[in-house]
Coordinates of all heavy atoms in Angstrom, one line a residue:
M1 N 10.2 -25.2 37.0 CA 9.1 -24.4 36.5 C 8.8 -24.8 35.1 O 9.7 -25.0 34.3 CB 9.5 -22.9 36.5 CG 8.5 -22.1 35.9 SD 9.0 -20.3 35.8 CE 8.6 -19.8 37.4
K2 N 7.5 -25.0 34.8 CA 7.1 -25.4 33.4 C 7.2 -24.2 32.5 O 6.9 -23.1 32.8 CB 5.7 -25.9 33.5 CG 5.2 -26.6 32.3 CD 3.9 -27.3 32.5 CE 3.5 -28.1 31.3 NZ 2.3 -28.8 31.4
K3 N 7.7 -24.5 31.3 CA 7.8 -23.5 30.2 C 6.7 -23.6 29.2 O 6.3 -24.7 28.8 CB 9.2 -23.6 29.6 CG 10.3 -23.2 30.5 CD 11.6 -23.2 29.7 CE 12.7 -22.8 30.6 NZ 14.0 -22.8 30.0
Y4 N 6.2 -22.4 28.8 CA 5.1 -22.4 27.8 C 5.6 -21.6 26.5 O 6.4 -20.6 26.7 CB 3.9 -21.7 28.3 CG 3.2 -22.5 29.5 CD1 3.6 -22.2 30.8 CD2 2.4 -23.5 29.2 CE1 3.0 -22.9 31.8 CE2 1.8 -24.2 30.2 CZ 2.1 -23.9 31.6 OH 1.6 -24.6 32.6
A5 N 5.2 -22.0 25.4 CA 5.5 -21.2 24.2 C 4.7 -19.9 24.2 O 3.6 -19.8 24.7 CB 5.1 -22.0 22.9
V6 N 5.3 -18.8 23.8 CA 4.7 -17.5 23.8 C 3.9 -17.4 22.4 O 4.5 -17.5 21.4 CB 5.7 -16.4 23.9 CG1 5.0 -15.0 23.8 CG2 6.4 -16.5 25.3
V7 N 2.7 -17.1 22.5 CA 1.9 -16.9 21.3 C 1.2 -15.5 21.3 O 0.6 -15.1 22.3 CB 0.7 -17.9 21.1 CG1 -0.1 -17.7 19.9 CG2 1.3 -19.3 21.1
T8 N 1.5 -14.7 20.3 CA 0.9 -13.4 20.3 C 0.0 -13.2 19.1 O 0.0 -14.0 18.2 CB 2.0 -12.3 20.2 OG1 2.5 -12.3 18.9 CG2 3.1 -12.5 21.3
S9 N -0.9 -12.2 19.2 CA -1.8 -11.9 18.1 C -1.3 -10.8 17.2 O -2.0 -10.2 16.4 CB -3.2 -11.6 18.6 OG -3.1 -10.5 19.4
I10 N 0.0 -10.4 17.4 CA 0.5 -9.3 16.7 C 0.8 -9.7 15.2 O 1.4 -10.8 15.0 CB 1.8 -8.8 17.3 CG1 1.5 -8.2 18.7 CG2 2.5 -7.7 16.5 CD1 2.8 -8.0 19.5
S11 N 0.4 -8.9 14.3 CA 0.7 -9.2 12.9 C 1.5 -8.0 12.4 O 1.4 -6.9 12.9 CB -0.5 -9.4 12.1 OG -1.3 -8.2 12.0
Y12 N 2.3 -8.2 11.4 CA 3.1 -7.2 10.8 C 2.8 -7.0 9.3 O 2.6 -8.0 8.6 CB 4.6 -7.5 10.9 CG 5.0 -7.7 12.4 CD1 5.0 -8.9 13.0 CD2 5.4 -6.5 13.1 CE1 5.4 -9.0 14.3 CE2 5.7 -6.6 14.4 CZ 5.8 -7.9 15.1 OH 6.1 -7.9 16.4
P13 N 2.7 -5.8 8.9 CA 2.5 -5.6 7.4 C 3.7 -6.1 6.6 O 4.8 -5.6 6.7 CB 2.4 -4.1 7.3 CG 3.0 -3.5 8.5 CD 2.9 -4.5 9.6
K14 N 3.4 -7.2 6.0 CA 4.5 -7.8 5.3 C 4.1 -8.2 3.9 O 3.0 -8.9 3.8 CB 5.0 -9.1 6.1 CG 6.2 -9.7 5.5 CD 6.6 -10.9 6.4 CE 7.7 -11.6 5.9 NZ 8.1 -12.8 6.7
K15 N 4.8 -7.9 2.9 CA 4.4 -8.2 1.6 C 4.2 -9.7 1.4 O 5.1 -10.5 1.8 CB 5.5 -7.8 0.6 CG 5.1 -7.8 -0.8 CD 6.2 -7.2 -1.6 CE 5.8 -6.9 -3.0 NZ 6.8 -6.2 -3.7
G16 N 3.1 -10.1 0.9 CA 2.8 -11.5 0.6 C 2.3 -12.2 1.8 O 1.9 -13.4 1.7
A17 N 2.2 -11.6 3.0 CA 1.7 -12.3 4.1 C 0.3 -12.9 4.0 O 0.0 -13.9 4.5 CB 1.8 -11.4 5.4
M18 N -0.5 -12.1 3.2 CA -1.9 -12.6 3.0 C -2.1 -13.0 1.5 O -3.2 -13.1 1.1 CB -2.9 -11.5 3.4 CG -2.9 -11.1 4.9 SD -3.4 -12.5 5.9 CE -5.1 -12.5 5.5
G19 N -1.0 -13.1 0.8 CA -1.1 -13.5 -0.6 C -1.4 -12.3 -1.5 O -1.6 -11.2 -1.1
K20 N -1.4 -12.7 -2.8 CA -1.7 -11.6 -3.8 C -3.2 -11.2 -3.7 O -4.0 -12.0 -3.3 CB -1.3 -12.1 -5.1 CG 0.2 -12.3 -5.3 CD 0.5 -12.7 -6.7 CE 2.0 -12.8 -6.8 NZ 2.5 -13.2 -8.2
T21 N -3.5 -10.0 -4.1 CA -4.8 -9.5 -4.0 C -5.8 -10.2 -4.9 O -6.9 -10.4 -4.5 CB -4.8 -8.0 -4.3 OG1 -3.9 -7.3 -3.4 CG2 -6.2 -7.3 -4.1
G22 N -5.4 -10.5 -6.1 CA -6.4 -11.1 -7.0 C -7.3 -10.1 -7.6 O -6.8 -8.9 -7.8
S23 N -8.5 -10.4 -7.9 CA -9.4 -9.5 -8.6 C -10.5 -8.9 -7.8 O -11.4 -8.2 -8.3 CB -10.0 -10.3 -9.8 OG -10.8 -11.4 -9.3
W24 N -10.4 -9.0 -6.5 CA -11.5 -8.5 -5.7 C -11.4 -7.0 -5.3 O -12.4 -6.4 -4.9 CB -11.7 -9.3 -4.4 CG -10.5 -9.3 -3.5 CD1 -9.6 -10.3 -3.4 CD2 -10.1 -8.3 -2.5 NE1 -8.6 -10.0 -2.5 CE2 -8.9 -8.8 -1.9 CE3 -10.7 -7.1 -2.1 CZ2 -8.3 -8.0 -0.9 CZ3 -10.0 -6.4 -1.2 CH2 -8.9 -6.8 -0.6
R25 N -10.2 -6.4 -5.6 CA -10.1 -5.0 -5.2 C -11.1 -4.1 -6.0 O -11.2 -4.2 -7.2 CB -8.6 -4.6 -5.5 CG -8.3 -3.1 -5.0 CD -6.9 -2.8 -5.3 NE -6.6 -2.9 -6.7 CZ -5.5 -3.6 -7.2 NH1 -4.6 -4.1 -6.4 NH2 -5.3 -3.7 -8.5
V26 N -11.7 -3.2 -5.2 CA -12.7 -2.3 -5.8 C -12.1 -1.0 -6.3 O -12.5 -0.5 -7.3 CB -13.9 -2.1 -4.8 CG1 -14.9 -1.1 -5.5 CG2 -14.5 -3.4 -4.4
F27 N -11.3 -0.4 -5.4 CA -10.6 0.9 -5.8 C -9.1 0.7 -5.9 O -8.5 -0.1 -5.2 CB -10.9 1.9 -4.6 CG -12.3 2.3 -4.6 CD1 -13.2 1.7 -3.7 CD2 -12.8 3.3 -5.4 CE1 -14.5 2.1 -3.6 CE2 -14.1 3.7 -5.4 CZ -15.0 3.1 -4.5
R28 N -8.6 1.4 -6.9 CA -7.2 1.4 -7.2 C -6.5 2.7 -7.0 O -7.0 3.7 -7.5 CB -7.0 0.9 -8.7 CG -5.7 1.1 -9.3 CD -5.7 0.8 -10.8 NE -5.8 -0.6 -11.0 CZ -4.9 -1.3 -11.7 NH1 -3.9 -0.8 -12.2 NH2 -5.1 -2.6 -11.8
P29 N -5.4 2.8 -6.3 CA -4.7 4.1 -6.1 C -4.0 4.4 -7.4 O -3.3 3.6 -8.0 CB -3.7 3.8 -5.0 CG -3.5 2.4 -5.0 CD -4.7 1.7 -5.5
T30 N -4.2 5.7 -7.9 CA -3.5 6.1 -9.1 C -2.6 7.2 -8.8 O -3.0 8.2 -8.1 CB -4.5 6.6 -10.1 OG1 -5.5 5.5 -10.3 CG2 -3.9 6.9 -11.5
L31 N -1.3 7.1 -9.2 CA -0.3 8.1 -8.8 C -0.1 9.1 -9.9 O 0.1 8.7 -11.1 CB 1.0 7.3 -8.5 CG 2.3 8.2 -8.3 CD1 2.1 9.0 -7.0 CD2 3.5 7.3 -8.2
D32 N -0.1 10.4 -9.5 CA 0.3 11.4 -10.5 C 1.7 11.8 -10.1 O 2.0 12.6 -9.2 CB -0.7 12.6 -10.3 CG -0.4 13.8 -11.3 OD1 0.7 13.8 -11.9 OD2 -1.2 14.6 -11.4
K33 N 2.7 11.3 -10.9 CA 4.1 11.5 -10.6 C 4.5 13.0 -10.7 O 5.4 13.4 -10.0 CB 5.0 10.7 -11.6 CG 4.9 9.3 -11.3 CD 6.1 8.5 -11.9 CE 6.0 7.0 -11.5 NZ 7.3 6.5 -11.1
A34 N 3.8 13.8 -11.5 CA 4.1 15.2 -11.6 C 3.8 16.0 -10.2 O 4.4 17.0 -9.9 CB 3.3 15.9 -12.7
K35 N 2.8 15.5 -9.5 CA 2.5 16.1 -8.2 C 3.3 15.6 -7.0 O 3.4 16.2 -6.0 CB 1.0 15.8 -7.9 CG 0.0 16.7 -8.7 CD -1.4 16.4 -8.1 CE -2.5 17.2 -8.9 NZ -3.8 16.8 -8.4
C36 N 3.8 14.4 -7.2 CA 4.5 13.7 -6.1 C 5.8 14.5 -5.7 O 6.6 14.8 -6.6 CB 4.8 12.3 -6.5 SG 5.8 11.4 -5.2
V37 N 6.0 14.7 -4.4 CA 7.2 15.4 -3.9 C 8.1 14.4 -3.2 O 9.1 14.8 -2.6 CB 6.8 16.6 -3.0 CG1 6.1 17.6 -3.7 CG2 6.0 16.1 -1.8
K38 N 7.9 13.1 -3.4 CA 8.8 12.1 -2.9 C 9.0 12.1 -1.4 O 10.1 11.9 -0.9 CB 10.1 12.1 -3.6 CG 10.0 12.0 -5.1 CD 11.3 12.1 -5.8 CE 11.2 12.0 -7.3 NZ 12.4 12.2 -8.0
C39 N 7.9 12.5 -0.6 CA 8.1 12.6 0.8 C 8.0 11.2 1.5 O 8.4 11.1 2.7 CB 6.9 13.5 1.4 SG 5.3 12.7 1.2
L40 N 7.5 10.2 0.8 CA 7.5 8.8 1.4 C 6.4 8.6 2.4 O 6.4 7.6 3.1 CB 8.8 8.3 1.8 CG 9.9 8.2 0.8 CD1 11.2 7.7 1.4 CD2 9.5 7.3 -0.4
R41 N 5.5 9.6 2.6 CA 4.5 9.4 3.6 C 3.6 8.2 3.3 O 3.2 7.4 4.2 CB 3.6 10.7 3.7 CG 2.7 10.8 4.9 CD 2.2 12.2 4.9 NE 1.0 12.3 5.8 CZ 1.1 12.6 7.0 NH1 2.3 12.8 7.6 NH2 0.0 12.6 7.8
C42 N 3.2 8.0 2.0 CA 2.4 6.9 1.6 C 3.2 5.6 1.9 O 2.6 4.6 2.3 CB 2.0 7.0 0.1 SG 3.5 7.2 -0.9
W43 N 4.4 5.6 1.7 CA 5.2 4.4 1.9 C 5.2 4.0 3.4 O 5.2 2.8 3.7 CB 6.7 4.7 1.4 CG 7.7 3.6 1.6 CD1 7.8 2.5 1.0 CD2 8.7 3.6 2.6 NE1 8.9 1.8 1.5 CE2 9.4 2.5 2.5 CE3 9.1 4.6 3.6 CZ2 10.5 2.2 3.3 CZ3 10.1 4.3 4.4 CH2 10.9 3.1 4.3
I44 N 5.3 5.0 4.2 CA 5.2 4.7 5.7 C 3.9 4.2 6.1 O 3.8 3.2 6.9 CB 5.5 6.0 6.5 CG1 7.0 6.4 6.2 CG2 5.2 5.9 7.9 CD1 7.3 7.8 6.7
Y45 N 2.8 4.7 5.5 CA 1.5 4.4 6.0 C 0.9 3.1 5.3 O -0.1 2.5 5.9 CB 0.5 5.5 5.8 CG 0.6 6.5 7.0 CD1 1.5 7.6 6.9 CD2 -0.1 6.4 8.1 CE1 1.6 8.5 8.0 CE2 0.0 7.3 9.2 CZ 0.9 8.3 9.1 OH 1.0 9.2 10.1
C46 N 1.3 2.7 4.2 CA 0.7 1.6 3.5 C 0.8 0.3 4.4 O 1.9 -0.1 4.7 CB 1.3 1.3 2.1 SG 0.7 -0.1 1.3
P47 N -0.4 -0.2 4.8 CA -0.3 -1.4 5.7 C 0.1 -2.7 5.0 O 0.4 -3.7 5.6 CB -1.8 -1.5 6.2 CG -2.6 -0.9 5.1 CD -1.7 0.2 4.5
E48 N 0.1 -2.7 3.6 CA 0.5 -3.9 2.9 C 1.9 -3.8 2.3 O 2.3 -4.8 1.7 CB -0.5 -4.0 1.7 CG -1.9 -4.2 2.1 CD -2.1 -5.5 2.9 OE1 -1.5 -6.5 2.6 OE2 -3.0 -5.5 3.8
G49 N 2.6 -2.8 2.6 CA 4.0 -2.6 2.0 C 3.9 -2.6 0.5 O 4.9 -3.1 -0.1
S50 N 2.9 -2.1 -0.1 CA 2.7 -2.1 -1.5 C 3.3 -0.9 -2.2 O 3.2 -0.8 -3.5 CB 1.2 -2.2 -1.9 OG 0.7 -3.4 -1.3
I51 N 3.8 0.1 -1.5 CA 4.4 1.2 -2.1 C 5.9 0.9 -2.2 O 6.5 0.6 -1.2 CB 4.2 2.5 -1.3 CG1 2.7 2.7 -1.0 CG2 4.9 3.7 -2.0 CD1 1.9 3.5 -2.0
R52 N 6.4 1.0 -3.4 CA 7.9 0.7 -3.6 C 8.7 2.0 -3.7 O 8.2 3.0 -4.3 CB 8.0 -0.1 -4.8 CG 7.5 -1.5 -4.7 CD 7.9 -2.2 -6.0 NE 7.4 -3.6 -5.8 CZ 7.9 -4.6 -6.5 NH1 8.9 -4.4 -7.3 NH2 7.4 -5.8 -6.3
R53 N 9.9 2.0 -3.2 CA 10.8 3.1 -3.3 C 11.7 2.7 -4.5 O 12.4 1.7 -4.5 CB 11.6 3.3 -2.1 CG 10.8 3.7 -0.9 CD 11.6 3.6 0.4 NE 12.7 4.7 0.4 CZ 13.5 4.9 1.4 NH1 13.5 4.1 2.4 NH2 14.4 5.8 1.3
E54 N 11.7 3.6 -5.5 CA 12.6 3.3 -6.7 C 13.9 3.9 -6.5 O 14.1 4.9 -5.6 CB 11.9 3.9 -7.9 CG 10.5 3.4 -8.2 CD 10.5 1.9 -8.5 OE1 11.5 1.3 -8.8 OE2 9.4 1.3 -8.4
P55 N 15.0 3.5 -7.2 CA 16.3 4.0 -7.0 C 16.5 5.5 -7.2 O 17.3 6.1 -6.6 CB 17.1 3.2 -8.1 CG 16.3 2.0 -8.3 CD 14.9 2.3 -8.1
D56 N 15.6 6.1 -8.0 CA 15.7 7.5 -8.2 C 14.9 8.3 -7.2 O 14.8 9.6 -7.3 CB 15.2 7.9 -9.6 CG 13.7 7.6 -9.8 OD1 13.1 7.1 -8.9 OD2 13.2 8.0 -10.9
G57 N 14.4 7.7 -6.2 CA 13.7 8.4 -5.1 C 12.2 8.5 -5.3 O 11.5 8.9 -4.4
S58 N 11.8 8.1 -6.5 CA 10.3 8.1 -6.7 C 9.7 6.9 -6.1 O 10.3 6.0 -5.6 CB 10.1 8.2 -8.2 OG 10.5 7.0 -8.8
I59 N 8.4 6.8 -6.2 CA 7.6 5.7 -5.7 C 6.8 5.0 -6.8 O 6.5 5.7 -7.8 CB 6.7 6.1 -4.5 CG1 5.7 7.1 -4.9 CG2 7.5 6.5 -3.3 CD1 4.3 6.8 -4.3
S60 N 6.5 3.8 -6.6 CA 5.5 3.1 -7.5 C 4.6 2.2 -6.6 O 4.9 2.0 -5.4 CB 6.3 2.3 -8.5 OG 7.0 1.3 -7.9
I61 N 3.5 1.8 -7.2 CA 2.6 1.0 -6.4 C 2.5 -0.4 -7.0 O 2.4 -0.6 -8.2 CB 1.2 1.7 -6.5 CG1 1.2 3.1 -5.9 CG2 0.1 0.8 -5.8 CD1 0.0 3.9 -6.2
D62 N 2.7 -1.3 -6.1 CA 2.7 -2.7 -6.5 C 1.2 -3.3 -6.4 O 0.7 -3.6 -5.4 CB 3.5 -3.6 -5.6 CG 3.7 -5.0 -6.0 OD1 2.9 -5.4 -6.9 OD2 4.6 -5.7 -5.6
Y63 N 0.6 -3.3 -7.6 CA -0.8 -3.7 -7.6 C -1.1 -5.2 -7.4 O -2.2 -5.6 -7.2 CB -1.4 -3.3 -9.0 CG -1.5 -1.8 -9.2 CD1 -0.7 -1.1 -10.1 CD2 -2.4 -1.0 -8.4 CE1 -0.7 0.2 -10.2 CE2 -2.4 0.4 -8.5 CZ -1.6 1.0 -9.4 OH -1.6 2.4 -9.6
E64 N 0.0 -6.0 -7.4 CA -0.2 -7.4 -7.1 C -0.6 -7.6 -5.6 O -1.3 -8.5 -5.3 CB 1.2 -8.1 -7.3 CG 1.6 -8.2 -8.7 CD 0.9 -9.4 -9.4 OE1 1.0 -10.5 -9.0 OE2 0.2 -9.1 -10.4
Y65 N -0.2 -6.6 -4.8 CA -0.5 -6.8 -3.3 C -1.3 -5.7 -2.8 O -1.9 -5.8 -1.7 CB 0.8 -6.9 -2.6 CG 1.6 -8.1 -2.9 CD1 2.6 -8.0 -3.9 CD2 1.4 -9.3 -2.3 CE1 3.4 -9.1 -4.2 CE2 2.1 -10.4 -2.7 CZ 3.1 -10.3 -3.6 OH 3.8 -11.4 -4.0
C66 N -1.5 -4.6 -3.5 CA -2.3 -3.4 -3.0 C -3.7 -3.9 -2.8 O -4.3 -4.6 -3.7 CB -2.3 -2.3 -4.0 SG -3.5 -1.0 -3.8
K67 N -4.3 -3.6 -1.7 CA -5.7 -4.0 -1.4 C -6.7 -2.9 -1.6 O -7.9 -3.1 -1.4 CB -5.8 -4.4 0.1 CG -4.8 -5.6 0.5 CD -5.1 -6.8 -0.3 CE -4.3 -8.0 0.2 NZ -2.9 -7.9 -0.2
G68 N -6.2 -1.7 -2.0 CA -7.2 -0.6 -2.4 C -7.8 0.0 -1.2 O -8.9 0.6 -1.3
C69 N -7.1 0.0 -0.1 CA -7.7 0.6 1.2 C -7.8 2.1 1.1 O -8.7 2.7 1.8 CB -6.9 0.2 2.4 SG -5.2 0.9 2.4
G70 N -7.0 2.8 0.3 CA -7.1 4.2 0.2 C -6.3 5.0 1.2 O -6.3 6.3 1.2
I71 N -5.6 4.4 2.1 CA -4.8 5.1 3.2 C -3.7 6.0 2.5 O -3.5 7.1 2.9 CB -4.2 4.1 4.2 CG1 -5.3 3.4 5.0 CG2 -3.1 4.8 5.1 CD1 -4.8 2.3 5.9
C72 N -3.1 5.5 1.5 CA -2.0 6.3 0.8 C -2.6 7.6 0.3 O -2.0 8.6 0.4 CB -1.4 5.4 -0.3 SG -2.5 4.7 -1.5
A73 N -3.8 7.5 -0.3 CA -4.4 8.7 -0.9 C -4.8 9.6 0.2 O -4.7 10.9 0.0 CB -5.6 8.3 -1.7
K74 N -5.3 9.1 1.3 CA -5.7 9.9 2.4 C -4.5 10.6 3.0 O -4.6 11.8 3.4 CB -6.4 9.0 3.5 CG -7.0 9.8 4.6 CD -8.4 10.2 4.2 CE -9.1 10.8 5.4 NZ -10.3 11.4 5.1
E75 N -3.4 10.0 3.1 CA -2.2 10.5 3.8 C -1.4 11.5 2.9 O -0.5 12.2 3.4 CB -1.3 9.4 4.3 CG -2.0 8.6 5.4 CD -2.3 9.5 6.7 OE1 -1.6 10.4 6.9 OE2 -3.2 9.1 7.4
C76 N -1.5 11.4 1.6 CA -0.7 12.2 0.7 C -1.1 13.7 0.8 O -2.3 14.0 0.4 CB -0.8 11.7 -0.7 SG 0.1 12.8 -1.9
A77 N -0.2 14.5 1.3 CA -0.6 15.9 1.5 C -0.8 16.7 0.3 O -1.5 17.8 0.3 CB 0.5 16.6 2.4
V78 N -0.2 16.3 -0.8 CA -0.3 17.1 -2.1 C -1.3 16.4 -3.1 O -1.4 16.8 -4.2 CB 1.1 17.2 -2.8 CG1 2.0 18.0 -1.9 CG2 1.7 15.9 -3.1
K79 N -2.0 15.4 -2.6 CA -3.1 14.8 -3.4 C -2.5 14.2 -4.7 O -3.1 14.3 -5.8 CB -4.2 15.7 -3.7 CG -4.9 16.3 -2.5 CD -5.6 15.3 -1.7 CE -6.2 15.9 -0.4 NZ -6.2 14.9 0.7
A80 N -1.3 13.6 -4.6 CA -0.7 12.9 -5.8 C -1.3 11.6 -6.0 O -1.1 11.0 -7.1 CB 0.8 12.8 -5.6
I81 N -2.0 11.0 -5.1 CA -2.7 9.7 -5.2 C -4.2 9.9 -5.2 O -4.7 10.5 -4.2 CB -2.2 8.7 -4.2 CG1 -0.7 8.5 -4.2 CG2 -2.9 7.4 -4.4 CD1 -0.1 7.6 -3.2
T82 N -4.9 9.4 -6.1 CA -6.3 9.4 -6.1 C -6.8 7.9 -6.3 O -6.2 7.1 -6.9 CB -6.9 10.3 -7.2 OG1 -6.3 9.9 -8.5 CG2 -6.6 11.7 -7.0
M83 N -8.0 7.7 -5.7 CA -8.5 6.3 -5.8 C -9.6 6.3 -6.9 O -10.5 7.2 -6.9 CB -9.2 6.0 -4.4 CG -8.3 6.0 -3.2 SD -6.8 4.9 -3.4 CE -7.6 3.3 -3.3
K84 N -9.5 5.4 -7.7 CA -10.4 5.2 -8.8 C -11.0 3.8 -8.8 O -10.3 2.9 -8.5 CB -9.7 5.5 -10.2 CG -9.3 6.9 -10.3 CD -8.7 7.2 -11.7 CE -8.2 8.6 -11.8 NZ -7.5 8.9 -13.0
R85 N -12.2 3.7 -9.2 CA -12.8 2.4 -9.3 C -12.1 1.5 -10.3 O -11.7 2.0 -11.3 CB -14.3 2.4 -9.6 CG -15.2 3.0 -8.5 CD -16.7 2.8 -8.9 NE -17.0 1.5 -9.1 CZ -17.6 0.7 -8.1 NH1 -17.8 1.2 -6.9 NH2 -17.9 -0.6 -8.3
E86 N -11.9 0.3 -10.0 CA -11.2 -0.6 -11.0 C -11.9 -0.6 -12.3 O -11.2 -0.7 -13.3 CB -11.2 -2.1 -10.4 CG -10.2 -2.3 -9.3 CD -8.7 -2.3 -9.8 OE1 -8.5 -2.4 -11.0 OE2 -7.9 -2.2 -8.9
D87 N -13.2 -0.6 -12.3 CA -13.9 -0.6 -13.6 C -13.9 0.7 -14.4 O -14.3 0.8 -15.5 CB -15.4 -1.1 -13.5 CG -16.2 -0.3 -12.5 OD1 -15.7 0.8 -12.0 OD2 -17.3 -0.7 -12.1
E88 N -13.3 1.8 -13.7 CA -13.1 3.1 -14.4 C -11.7 3.2 -15.0 O -11.4 4.1 -15.7 CB -13.3 4.2 -13.5 CG -14.8 4.4 -13.0 CD -15.0 5.5 -12.0 OE1 -13.9 6.1 -11.6 OE2 -16.1 5.7 -11.6
H89 N -10.8 2.3 -14.5 CA -9.4 2.3 -14.9 C -9.3 1.7 -16.3 O -9.8 0.6 -16.6 CB -8.6 1.5 -13.9 CG -7.1 1.9 -13.9 ND1 -6.2 1.3 -14.7 CD2 -6.5 2.9 -13.2 CE1 -5.0 1.9 -14.5 NE2 -5.2 2.8 -13.6
E90 N -8.6 2.5 -17.2 CA -8.4 1.9 -18.5 C -7.3 0.8 -18.5 O -6.5 0.7 -17.7 CB -8.0 3.1 -19.5 CG -6.6 3.6 -19.4 CD -6.4 4.7 -18.3 OE1 -7.4 5.1 -17.7 OE2 -5.3 5.0 -18.0
Ligands
SF4_101 S1 2.7 10.8 0.0 FE1 2.2 11.7 -1.9 S2 3.9 13.1 -2.3 FE2 4.6 11.7 -0.7 S3 5.7 10.1 -1.8 FE3 3.5 9.4 -1.6 S4 2.5 10.1 -3.5 FE4 4.5 11.2 -3.3
SF4_102 S1 -4.5 1.6 -1.4 FE1 -3.8 0.8 0.6 S2 -2.8 -1.1 0.1 FE2 -2.9 0.0 -1.8 S3 -1.0 1.1 -1.9 FE3 -2.5 2.5 -0.9 S4 -2.2 2.2 1.3 FE4 -1.2 0.5 0.2

């Protein structure tokens, strides 16, 4: 029986798989640490793996890879993440 290589179209959210974001991102997620309850929902949902878990249980956002999709802000139940235009960010 002849054997064929298996090729799938499945991709996995993996840091750096598509390279660094560069300067094209339009919206940037901004975290209000005072509101964050450390539930990790944003960490679960971020398709780019750009939410980091810090040793103290808090989270941070890796802007090198964040694509600005806004999923984290949408999923955060306490609205600790808001999306701001890059040109509005100081
Ligand atoms: S979803 Fe919101 S509250 Fe939960 S860890 Fe992320 S920023 Fe914090
Ligand atoms: S905006 Fe999108 S890519 Fe950036 S941290 Fe939030 S979910 Fe991840």
Side-chain angles (χ1 to χ4, degrees):
M1 177 186 274
K2 193 168 182 178
K3 292 185 178 178
Y4 297 94
V6 176
V7 179
T8 73
S9 59
I10 298 170
S11 64
Y12 298 95
K14 187 177 176 183
K15 191 173 193 178
M18 297 296 288
K20 293 185 179 180
T21 303
S23 61
W24 60 263
R25 185 179 55 229
V26 178
F27 291 95
R28 166 189 286 242
T30 304
L31 174 66
D32 182 344
K33 288 197 175 222
K35 285 186 181 175
C36 177
V37 295
K38 303 176 182 177
C39 68
L40 297 180
R41 195 171 163 89
C42 55
W43 175 75
I44 292 168
Y45 277 92
C46 176
E48 299 295 325
S50 301
I51 308 273
R52 290 186 178 204
R53 297 171 68 180
E54 303 297 345
D56 66 354
S58 66
I59 59 140
S60 63
I61 300 167
D62 187 342
Y63 294 112
E64 290 281 301
Y65 296 94
C66 167
K67 302 297 185 288
C69 66
I71 291 172
C72 54
K74 188 87 175 168
E75 293 299 331
C76 178
V78 297
K79 305 294 178 209
I81 301 176
T82 52
M83 301 302 292
K84 294 184 179 170
R85 288 188 63 92
E86 284 287 346
D87 54 11
E88 291 175 358
H89 201 270
E90 74 276 353

